[in-house]
Amino acid sequence: GDTFHDKAAFPFGLGYSLVNLWTACAVLLVGFMATFSGAWPYLKLLLMAALWCAPPAMLTPKQRGKYFHWLDVMGKWSLLDLYVLVNAMVAFYVQINNPKLGIFPEEFYHVEILVQPVYGLYSFCFAVVLSLVLSHVQVIYHLNAVTSDEFKNRFGGSMRALAWTDVGKDNAELGAVASDVNKKSLNAKPFLSNMYRVCVQGHCSAIALYIVIALGLMFAGAFIPGWTFITHGIAGLLAEFGNSGSTIRQHSMWTAVCQLFLQATQGTGAGTIFITLVYLSFAFVIPVVHLLVLLVLWYRRMTLFGLKRTYLAAQILSAFSALEVWFLGTVFTILQIEFISYSVLDRQCTFLKPVFQELIKFGFIVPDDGNCFQIDGQFHWGGLLMMCCSAIISNNLVTLSKLR
C-alpha cells in the first residue's frame, strides 16, 4: 500500500515539556526540570569561566580547587534532560496494526508513532559531554599548577613543569610536596564517621563485598522490569484492537536500549544510535568500569605514582558515572509522561471531546480512553530500587576512596 510520513506531527523538547507541565499544574516537576535541565547546564559553564579567570587575590588555591571539585562532581546532573527525553522516546513508540482477521488483507494498515531526535538534542548532548570533559581538565590543570608552584617554593630555582602525578614518581623527597598540594588544591576532607575511618585505615575487607553487591544490583536492575508504559485514548484502542496487549509495555534499561536500536532501524537513523550509546554509556557502562577501577585501587599494590594515576582515573569515571541521574530522570519521566502525552493531540481533538464524554457516559469506553492519545506510567520498584541502591553504594565507595 501507500506510505505516508509526517515528519513533524508534534514538536517535543524541554521548553515544550515545561509549558505543558505548567499548564497541567505540575509545579514540582516544572521546578525540578527547569532547575537541573534548564538553568544548571548554563550556570555551570558560567561558573567554570568565572573560576578559570578569577585572579588569586579573589580566590585562594584551596577555594578554587574546592569549587572546581564540586562543579566536576555536579556536572553529571546536566544529563537529566537527556535521560528524560530519551525515556520519552521509548514511551512514545506506539504501533497500530490491523487485526489478523479474514476480512482484512495482510498489512492492510500499519501506523507507527515515534520520536525522532533532531539537531537540538544532538547539540545539547555534545555540549553536556564537552562540559564534563572541560570541567575535569580544569581540575587537572589546577592540580598541576599548584604542584609546580609548591615545588618552586620548597626547592627554589626556576619553575619547571611538574604534573600532580609526577610527585612521588622517582624522587622520595617530593612526598612533602604532595602533602602541601593536597592541603592547598583539593577539596577539604569530608566529614566521615569513626566507623568509616576505622574501615579505611584497616583496609576493610568488606570493600570488595560492597563492590560485588553494587555490581550485582546494577546488572540485575538493568534487566528486571522497572516501569510500564500504558497507551490510552483512541490510539490505545486502535492498537489494542489490532494486537491485544500491545498497549502495555514493561521496560527495563536493557529493553529501553533494545527498543531505541529498533527505532533506529525504522527510520530515525544514526542519530538515535548515537543518543542511545550516550544513554547507555553514562548510565551503565561507565558506572561498571568505575566500580572495577575502585576494586583495583583498593586491592592492588602500587607505587605512589601508580596509585595517583589510578585514583585520577577513578575520579574521572566518577564524574562521568550518571546512574543516579538516570534513576531520577526515569522516575520523573514516569511521573510527567501522562501530562505531556495528553497535550500532544489535545488541541487537534477538541471537537471530539463531546463525543468522548458520551461514549464514557454510556460505558462504551473507560474514562482513561476519553481522548485521542495518552500514555500513563507505572512503577515496578524492584528494578529501579536495585539501580538506586547500586548508585548509593558506589558513591559511598568513592567517599571512602578519597579518604584513603
Side-chain angles (χ1 to χ4, degrees):
D2 295 332
T3 300
F4 173 73
H5 183 203
D6 190 342
K7 295 184 178 180
F10 53 87
F12 191 79
L14 176 61
Y16 182 82
S17 301
L18 293 177
V19 170
N20 286 301
L21 288 173
W22 182 263
T23 304
C25 298
V27 179
L28 182 62
L29 294 178
V30 171
F32 189 88
M33 287 196 64
T35 300
F36 285 97
S37 300
W40 172 241
Y42 303 99
L43 178 61
K44 175 177 178 287
L45 291 173
L46 291 175
L47 291 174
M48 287 170 59
L51 289 174
W52 187 257
C53 298
M58 293 181 61
L59 286 174
T60 64
K62 183 176 181 179
Q63 290 176 324
R64 195 190 307 268
K66 180 174 67 174
Y67 296 144
F68 277 147
H69 166 77
W70 282 111
L71 284 179
D72 190 41
V73 170
M74 297 298 293
K76 68 179 74 174
W77 289 97
S78 300
L79 290 165
L80 182 66
D81 185 43
L82 175 67
Y83 285 124
V84 171
L85 291 176
V86 174
N87 285 325
M89 290 173 60
V90 176
F92 275 82
Y93 183 67
V94 178
Q95 289 185 318
I96 301 175
N97 299 302
N98 61 279
K100 296 181 179 180
L101 301 174
I103 59 174
F104 291 113
E106 188 175 352
E107 295 186 1
F108 180 65
Y109 62 83
H110 175 74
V111 179
E112 285 186 349
I113 303 173
L114 51 84
V115 178
Q116 180 172 358
V118 290
Y119 296 110
L121 186 56
Y122 300 148
S123 60
F124 178 82
C125 186
F126 274 118
V128 170
V129 174
L130 182 60
S131 172
L132 292 173
V133 173
L134 289 177
S135 182
H136 211 80
V137 168
Q138 286 185 323
V139 172
I140 294 174
Y141 266 86
H142 176 72
L143 284 172
N144 291 344
V146 174
T147 302
S148 294
D149 187 59
E150 187 60 30
F151 178 85
K152 179 182 177 181
N153 292 338
R154 278 191 169 271
F155 301 103
S158 60
M159 183 182 297
R160 64 162 181 154
L162 185 67
W164 176 68
T165 52
D166 289 333
V167 176
K169 180 178 180 181
D170 52 9
N171 192 337
E173 67 180 355
L174 294 184
V177 178
S179 176
D180 287 342
V181 168
N182 289 335
K183 293 178 182 178
K184 293 184 178 181
S185 63
L186 297 178
N187 186 26
K189 185 182 295 184
F191 171 78
L192 295 172
S193 66
N194 291 330
M195 181 183 69
Y196 272 25
R197 296 181 185 277
V198 171
C199 178
V200 174
Q201 293 171 358
H203 299 284
C204 181
S205 60
I207 294 295
L209 179 62
Y210 295 154
I211 294 176
V212 171
I213 292 174
L215 286 171
L217 289 173
M218 195 180 302
F219 276 95
F223 290 92
I224 295 176
W227 67 96
T228 297
F229 290 128
I230 305 173
T231 307
H232 291 293
I234 298 302
L237 292 174
L238 291 175
E240 192 71 17
F241 177 66
N243 185 7
S244 180
S246 62
T247 57
I248 302 175
R249 295 163 290 144
Q250 287 190 343
H251 283 294
S252 62
M253 180 187 289
W254 173 249
T255 59
V257 169
C258 291
Q259 181 178 303
L260 289 168
F261 279 120
L262 176 63
Q263 291 178 219
T265 63
Q266 295 179 345
T268 56
T272 300
I273 296 178
F274 167 74
I275 296 297
T276 305
L277 292 176
V278 174
Y279 173 92
L280 182 63
S281 298
F282 284 92
F284 186 78
V285 177
I286 293 177
V288 169
V289 176
H290 177 226
L291 286 173
L292 295 177
V293 170
L294 287 179
L295 189 64
V296 173
L297 181 65
W298 273 92
Y299 289 100
R300 183 178 178 182
R301 297 178 61 88
M302 290 179 283
T303 62
L304 178 60
F305 175 68
L307 182 66
K308 292 169 76 173
R309 288 182 65 119
T310 307
Y311 174 69
L312 188 60
Q315 271 196 315
I316 295 174
L317 291 170
S318 176
F320 285 12
S321 178
L323 179 58
E324 61 271 36
V325 183
W326 172 86
F327 172 79
L328 282 182
T330 302
V331 169
F332 275 87
T333 302
I334 298 169
L335 291 175
Q336 72 165 352
I337 196 65
E338 177 184 353
F339 306 113
I340 296 178
S341 61
Y342 177 78
S343 59
V344 164
L345 297 177
D346 183 55
R347 186 177 303 173
Q348 294 88 331
C349 290
T350 301
F351 70 99
L352 291 175
K353 287 184 178 180
V355 179
F356 294 146
Q357 294 300 322
E358 292 299 318
L359 292 175
I360 295 173
K361 179 180 178 180
F362 289 101
F364 290 105
I365 60 175
V366 297
D368 286 339
D369 291 327
N371 52 66
C372 283
F373 183 67
Q374 179 180 319
I375 296 176
D376 291 341
Q378 295 180 354
F379 293 101
H380 301 293
W381 285 109
L384 288 177
L385 285 180
M386 285 183 179
M387 301 297 271
C388 181
C389 293
S390 179
I392 293 172
I393 294 173
S394 299
N395 287 328
N396 285 334
L397 288 172
V398 171
T399 304
L400 288 171
S401 299
K402 287 180 180 178
L403 183 58
R404 184 191 181 213

PDB file of all heavy atoms in Angstrom, residues 335-355:
ATOM      1  N   LEU A 335       6.534  10.077  35.969  1.00  0.00           N
ATOM      2  CA  LEU A 335       5.584  10.968  36.631  1.00  0.00           C
ATOM      3  C   LEU A 335       4.958  11.985  35.676  1.00  0.00           C
ATOM      4  O   LEU A 335       3.803  12.361  35.838  1.00  0.00           O
ATOM      5  CB  LEU A 335       6.281  11.704  37.783  1.00  0.00           C
ATOM      6  CG  LEU A 335       6.684  10.861  38.989  1.00  0.00           C
ATOM      7  CD1 LEU A 335       7.461  11.712  39.983  1.00  0.00           C
ATOM      8  CD2 LEU A 335       5.470  10.240  39.662  1.00  0.00           C
ATOM      9  N   GLN A 336       5.727  12.424  34.676  1.00  0.00           N
ATOM     10  CA  GLN A 336       5.248  13.521  33.834  1.00  0.00           C
ATOM     11  C   GLN A 336       4.709  13.068  32.486  1.00  0.00           C
ATOM     12  O   GLN A 336       4.072  13.862  31.786  1.00  0.00           O
ATOM     13  CB  GLN A 336       6.379  14.503  33.575  1.00  0.00           C
ATOM     14  CG  GLN A 336       7.435  13.972  32.613  1.00  0.00           C
ATOM     15  CD  GLN A 336       8.335  15.052  32.083  1.00  0.00           C
ATOM     16  OE1 GLN A 336       8.107  16.224  32.308  1.00  0.00           O
ATOM     17  NE2 GLN A 336       9.367  14.648  31.385  1.00  0.00           N
ATOM     18  N   ILE A 337       4.923  11.811  32.087  1.00  0.00           N
ATOM     19  CA  ILE A 337       4.581  11.396  30.732  1.00  0.00           C
ATOM     20  C   ILE A 337       3.084  11.511  30.467  1.00  0.00           C
ATOM     21  O   ILE A 337       2.660  11.789  29.325  1.00  0.00           O
ATOM     22  CB  ILE A 337       5.078   9.945  30.474  1.00  0.00           C
ATOM     23  CG1 ILE A 337       5.081   9.635  28.970  1.00  0.00           C
ATOM     24  CG2 ILE A 337       4.247   8.940  31.247  1.00  0.00           C
ATOM     25  CD1 ILE A 337       6.067  10.464  28.201  1.00  0.00           C
ATOM     26  N   GLU A 338       2.242  11.346  31.484  1.00  0.00           N
ATOM     27  CA  GLU A 338       0.797  11.475  31.294  1.00  0.00           C
ATOM     28  C   GLU A 338       0.422  12.892  30.865  1.00  0.00           C
ATOM     29  O   GLU A 338      -0.379  13.091  29.947  1.00  0.00           O
ATOM     30  CB  GLU A 338       0.064  11.104  32.584  1.00  0.00           C
ATOM     31  CG  GLU A 338      -1.445  11.282  32.510  1.00  0.00           C
ATOM     32  CD  GLU A 338      -2.131  10.993  33.823  1.00  0.00           C
ATOM     33  OE1 GLU A 338      -1.449  10.528  34.764  1.00  0.00           O
ATOM     34  OE2 GLU A 338      -3.359  11.235  33.915  1.00  0.00           O
ATOM     35  N   PHE A 339       1.029  13.897  31.523  1.00  0.00           N
ATOM     36  CA  PHE A 339       0.690  15.280  31.213  1.00  0.00           C
ATOM     37  C   PHE A 339       1.155  15.666  29.813  1.00  0.00           C
ATOM     38  O   PHE A 339       0.446  16.333  29.061  1.00  0.00           O
ATOM     39  CB  PHE A 339       1.313  16.220  32.250  1.00  0.00           C
ATOM     40  CG  PHE A 339       0.961  15.868  33.661  1.00  0.00           C
ATOM     41  CD1 PHE A 339       1.933  15.416  34.543  1.00  0.00           C
ATOM     42  CD2 PHE A 339      -0.331  15.985  34.120  1.00  0.00           C
ATOM     43  CE1 PHE A 339       1.612  15.087  35.849  1.00  0.00           C
ATOM     44  CE2 PHE A 339      -0.664  15.665  35.426  1.00  0.00           C
ATOM     45  CZ  PHE A 339       0.313  15.215  36.290  1.00  0.00           C
ATOM     46  N   ILE A 340       2.368  15.231  29.470  1.00  0.00           N
ATOM     47  CA  ILE A 340       2.921  15.600  28.159  1.00  0.00           C
ATOM     48  C   ILE A 340       2.159  14.899  27.044  1.00  0.00           C
ATOM     49  O   ILE A 340       1.779  15.520  26.040  1.00  0.00           O
ATOM     50  CB  ILE A 340       4.416  15.244  28.091  1.00  0.00           C
ATOM     51  CG1 ILE A 340       5.197  16.067  29.112  1.00  0.00           C
ATOM     52  CG2 ILE A 340       4.964  15.491  26.692  1.00  0.00           C
ATOM     53  CD1 ILE A 340       6.663  15.746  29.153  1.00  0.00           C
ATOM     54  N   SER A 341       1.938  13.599  27.184  1.00  0.00           N
ATOM     55  CA  SER A 341       1.289  12.839  26.110  1.00  0.00           C
ATOM     56  C   SER A 341      -0.144  13.303  25.883  1.00  0.00           C
ATOM     57  O   SER A 341      -0.622  13.356  24.744  1.00  0.00           O
ATOM     58  CB  SER A 341       1.309  11.345  26.428  1.00  0.00           C
ATOM     59  OG  SER A 341       0.608  11.082  27.636  1.00  0.00           O
ATOM     60  N   TYR A 342      -0.845  13.635  26.950  1.00  0.00           N
ATOM     61  CA  TYR A 342      -2.239  14.059  26.802  1.00  0.00           C
ATOM     62  C   TYR A 342      -2.337  15.344  25.986  1.00  0.00           C
ATOM     63  O   TYR A 342      -3.269  15.528  25.198  1.00  0.00           O
ATOM     64  CB  TYR A 342      -2.870  14.257  28.178  1.00  0.00           C
ATOM     65  CG  TYR A 342      -4.289  14.770  28.127  1.00  0.00           C
ATOM     66  CD1 TYR A 342      -5.355  13.914  27.838  1.00  0.00           C
ATOM     67  CD2 TYR A 342      -4.578  16.115  28.351  1.00  0.00           C
ATOM     68  CE1 TYR A 342      -6.652  14.377  27.783  1.00  0.00           C
ATOM     69  CE2 TYR A 342      -5.872  16.588  28.296  1.00  0.00           C
ATOM     70  CZ  TYR A 342      -6.908  15.722  28.021  1.00  0.00           C
ATOM     71  OH  TYR A 342      -8.200  16.191  27.954  1.00  0.00           O
ATOM     72  N   SER A 343      -1.377  16.249  26.168  1.00  0.00           N
ATOM     73  CA  SER A 343      -1.444  17.546  25.492  1.00  0.00           C
ATOM     74  C   SER A 343      -0.917  17.506  24.066  1.00  0.00           C
ATOM     75  O   SER A 343      -1.011  18.509  23.355  1.00  0.00           O
ATOM     76  CB  SER A 343      -0.654  18.585  26.293  1.00  0.00           C
ATOM     77  OG  SER A 343       0.700  18.191  26.424  1.00  0.00           O
ATOM     78  N   VAL A 344      -0.340  16.366  23.657  1.00  0.00           N
ATOM     79  CA  VAL A 344       0.227  16.285  22.311  1.00  0.00           C
ATOM     80  C   VAL A 344      -0.836  16.536  21.245  1.00  0.00           C
ATOM     81  O   VAL A 344      -0.658  17.334  20.315  1.00  0.00           O
ATOM     82  CB  VAL A 344       0.907  14.907  22.106  1.00  0.00           C
ATOM     83  CG1 VAL A 344       1.157  14.645  20.633  1.00  0.00           C
ATOM     84  CG2 VAL A 344       2.229  14.866  22.867  1.00  0.00           C
ATOM     85  N   LEU A 345      -1.972  15.835  21.347  1.00  0.00           N
ATOM     86  CA  LEU A 345      -3.044  15.973  20.363  1.00  0.00           C
ATOM     87  C   LEU A 345      -4.305  16.590  20.980  1.00  0.00           C
ATOM     88  O   LEU A 345      -5.391  16.463  20.408  1.00  0.00           O
ATOM     89  CB  LEU A 345      -3.386  14.593  19.768  1.00  0.00           C
ATOM     90  CG  LEU A 345      -2.263  13.901  18.993  1.00  0.00           C
ATOM     91  CD1 LEU A 345      -2.715  12.525  18.525  1.00  0.00           C
ATOM     92  CD2 LEU A 345      -1.823  14.731  17.793  1.00  0.00           C
ATOM     93  N   ASP A 346      -4.138  17.236  22.124  1.00  0.00           N
ATOM     94  CA  ASP A 346      -5.306  17.800  22.804  1.00  0.00           C
ATOM     95  C   ASP A 346      -6.001  18.864  21.953  1.00  0.00           C
ATOM     96  O   ASP A 346      -7.228  18.893  21.848  1.00  0.00           O
ATOM     97  CB  ASP A 346      -4.884  18.388  24.153  1.00  0.00           C
ATOM     98  CG  ASP A 346      -6.056  18.926  24.944  1.00  0.00           C
ATOM     99  OD1 ASP A 346      -7.000  18.159  25.164  1.00  0.00           O
ATOM    100  OD2 ASP A 346      -6.026  20.116  25.322  1.00  0.00           O
ATOM    101  N   ARG A 347      -5.209  19.729  21.332  1.00  0.00           N
ATOM    102  CA  ARG A 347      -5.806  20.809  20.533  1.00  0.00           C
ATOM    103  C   ARG A 347      -6.506  20.258  19.300  1.00  0.00           C
ATOM    104  O   ARG A 347      -7.587  20.706  18.916  1.00  0.00           O
ATOM    105  CB  ARG A 347      -4.716  21.805  20.120  1.00  0.00           C
ATOM    106  CG  ARG A 347      -5.227  23.035  19.401  1.00  0.00           C
ATOM    107  CD  ARG A 347      -4.084  23.998  19.098  1.00  0.00           C
ATOM    108  NE  ARG A 347      -3.380  24.380  20.321  1.00  0.00           N
ATOM    109  CZ  ARG A 347      -2.261  25.110  20.318  1.00  0.00           C
ATOM    110  NH1 ARG A 347      -1.719  25.496  19.178  1.00  0.00           N
ATOM    111  NH2 ARG A 347      -1.700  25.427  21.468  1.00  0.00           N
ATOM    112  N   GLN A 348      -5.889  19.264  18.645  1.00  0.00           N
ATOM    113  CA  GLN A 348      -6.479  18.699  17.442  1.00  0.00           C
ATOM    114  C   GLN A 348      -7.750  17.909  17.745  1.00  0.00           C
ATOM    115  O   GLN A 348      -8.584  17.706  16.865  1.00  0.00           O
ATOM    116  CB  GLN A 348      -5.456  17.783  16.731  1.00  0.00           C
ATOM    117  CG  GLN A 348      -4.242  18.511  16.163  1.00  0.00           C
ATOM    118  CD  GLN A 348      -3.119  18.635  17.180  1.00  0.00           C
ATOM    119  OE1 GLN A 348      -3.377  18.685  18.383  1.00  0.00           O
ATOM    120  NE2 GLN A 348      -1.882  18.679  16.710  1.00  0.00           N
ATOM    121  N   CYS A 349      -7.894  17.438  18.998  1.00  0.00           N
ATOM    122  CA  CYS A 349      -9.038  16.586  19.348  1.00  0.00           C
ATOM    123  C   CYS A 349     -10.115  17.331  20.128  1.00  0.00           C
ATOM    124  O   CYS A 349     -11.013  16.690  20.692  1.00  0.00           O
ATOM    125  CB  CYS A 349      -8.558  15.393  20.175  1.00  0.00           C
ATOM    126  SG  CYS A 349      -7.576  14.204  19.237  1.00  0.00           S
ATOM    127  N   THR A 350     -10.031  18.645  20.188  1.00  0.00           N
ATOM    128  CA  THR A 350     -11.001  19.403  20.977  1.00  0.00           C
ATOM    129  C   THR A 350     -12.431  19.149  20.509  1.00  0.00           C
ATOM    130  O   THR A 350     -13.354  18.974  21.322  1.00  0.00           O
ATOM    131  CB  THR A 350     -10.692  20.905  20.903  1.00  0.00           C
ATOM    132  OG1 THR A 350      -9.364  21.131  21.390  1.00  0.00           O
ATOM    133  CG2 THR A 350     -11.668  21.708  21.734  1.00  0.00           C
ATOM    134  N   PHE A 351     -12.647  19.095  19.200  1.00  0.00           N
ATOM    135  CA  PHE A 351     -14.005  18.923  18.676  1.00  0.00           C
ATOM    136  C   PHE A 351     -14.566  17.534  18.963  1.00  0.00           C
ATOM    137  O   PHE A 351     -15.771  17.309  18.855  1.00  0.00           O
ATOM    138  CB  PHE A 351     -14.014  19.193  17.164  1.00  0.00           C
ATOM    139  CG  PHE A 351     -13.322  18.145  16.348  1.00  0.00           C
ATOM    140  CD1 PHE A 351     -14.047  17.144  15.707  1.00  0.00           C
ATOM    141  CD2 PHE A 351     -11.946  18.148  16.210  1.00  0.00           C
ATOM    142  CE1 PHE A 351     -13.421  16.181  14.956  1.00  0.00           C
ATOM    143  CE2 PHE A 351     -11.303  17.185  15.444  1.00  0.00           C
ATOM    144  CZ  PHE A 351     -12.049  16.197  14.825  1.00  0.00           C
ATOM    145  N   LEU A 352     -13.704  16.586  19.353  1.00  0.00           N
ATOM    146  CA  LEU A 352     -14.172  15.230  19.634  1.00  0.00           C
ATOM    147  C   LEU A 352     -14.490  15.006  21.111  1.00  0.00           C
ATOM    148  O   LEU A 352     -15.032  13.945  21.470  1.00  0.00           O
ATOM    149  CB  LEU A 352     -13.113  14.204  19.197  1.00  0.00           C
ATOM    150  CG  LEU A 352     -12.878  14.049  17.695  1.00  0.00           C
ATOM    151  CD1 LEU A 352     -11.727  13.087  17.441  1.00  0.00           C
ATOM    152  CD2 LEU A 352     -14.143  13.558  16.999  1.00  0.00           C
ATOM    153  N   LYS A 353     -14.168  15.954  21.965  1.00  0.00           N
ATOM    154  CA  LYS A 353     -14.375  15.752  23.396  1.00  0.00           C
ATOM    155  C   LYS A 353     -15.835  15.470  23.754  1.00  0.00           C
ATOM    156  O   LYS A 353     -16.108  14.607  24.603  1.00  0.00           O
ATOM    157  CB  LYS A 353     -13.837  16.956  24.170  1.00  0.00           C
ATOM    158  CG  LYS A 353     -12.313  17.009  24.199  1.00  0.00           C
ATOM    159  CD  LYS A 353     -11.809  18.158  25.055  1.00  0.00           C
ATOM    160  CE  LYS A 353     -10.280  18.144  25.107  1.00  0.00           C
ATOM    161  NZ  LYS A 353      -9.742  19.242  25.941  1.00  0.00           N
ATOM    162  N   PRO A 354     -16.826  16.176  23.161  1.00  0.00           N
ATOM    163  CA  PRO A 354     -18.229  15.815  23.477  1.00  0.00           C
ATOM    164  C   PRO A 354     -18.562  14.372  23.120  1.00  0.00           C
ATOM    165  O   PRO A 354     -19.323  13.710  23.835  1.00  0.00           O
ATOM    166  CB  PRO A 354     -19.034  16.810  22.644  1.00  0.00           C
ATOM    167  CG  PRO A 354     -18.126  17.979  22.446  1.00  0.00           C
ATOM    168  CD  PRO A 354     -16.769  17.387  22.316  1.00  0.00           C
ATOM    169  N   VAL A 355     -18.008  13.895  22.021  1.00  0.00           N
ATOM    170  CA  VAL A 355     -18.237  12.504  21.619  1.00  0.00           C
ATOM    171  C   VAL A 355     -17.642  11.548  22.652  1.00  0.00           C
ATOM    172  O   VAL A 355     -18.272  10.544  23.043  1.00  0.00           O
ATOM    173  CB  VAL A 355     -17.646  12.233  20.226  1.00  0.00           C
ATOM    174  CG1 VAL A 355     -17.858  10.767  19.828  1.00  0.00           C
ATOM    175  CG2 VAL A 355     -18.241  13.171  19.197  1.00  0.00           C
TER     176      VAL A 355
END
